[in-house]
Amino acid sequence: MCLGIPMQVLEIEGVFAWCDGRNGRRRINTMLLDDVVPGQWLLTFLDAAREAIDAERARTIDAALDALEMVAAGDANFERCFADLIDREPQLPDHLRKDKSP
């Protein structure tokens, strides 16, 4: 299984970027993306950037990864990691809705 890790660009070095994230500072291949700039957030897989994301999405992904670590450690009190989902009705994706309206 491959997990996407959000990382923030610190500096650009050709087709690579030095980024900082939950696993420290890493050299990330950015060849699959257009212009990458310092301060930007990237979703990375195996030290390669696949997508530029915003800071809010980076926080949401990091929270989900925190929850995975908590479960792996035997801690079942991970509701805080999904604050955006608590007290919210589940939503079907558009392609599964009968009426096809949001």
Side-chain angles (χ1 to χ4, degrees):
M1 176 171 64
C2 185
L3 296 174
I5 308 294
M7 301 198 73
Q8 189 171 31
V9 177
L10 301 174
E11 58 185 280
I12 308 298
E13 198 176 80
V15 296
F16 293 93
W18 283 100
C19 299
D20 191 35
R22 67 188 299 114
N23 297 327
R25 186 177 164 126
R26 310 228 8 132
R27 187 171 181 243
I28 302 297
N29 184 317
T30 62
M31 288 177 59
L32 295 177
L33 302 180
D34 289 329
D35 298 324
V36 175
V37 296
Q40 185 175 25
W41 283 92
L42 306 175
L43 189 56
T44 67
F45 297 81
L46 302 172
D47 292 335
R50 298 287 193 267
E51 180 182 352
I53 59 175
D54 62 29
E56 180 59 31
R57 182 152 179 237
R59 280 189 293 277
T60 300
I61 294 167
D62 264 334
L65 293 171
D66 289 342
L68 285 173
E69 286 181 357
M70 293 171 78
V71 169
D75 184 354
N77 186 20
F78 52 83
E79 289 85 8
R80 67 176 172 76
C81 297
F82 299 102
D84 60 323
L85 301 177
I86 303 297
D87 297 325
R88 190 183 94 179
E89 279 295 315
Q91 304 272 329
L92 283 175
D94 289 340
H95 69 280
L96 294 177
R97 291 183 187 173
K98 288 182 182 179
D99 63 2
K100 305 287 186 198
S101 64

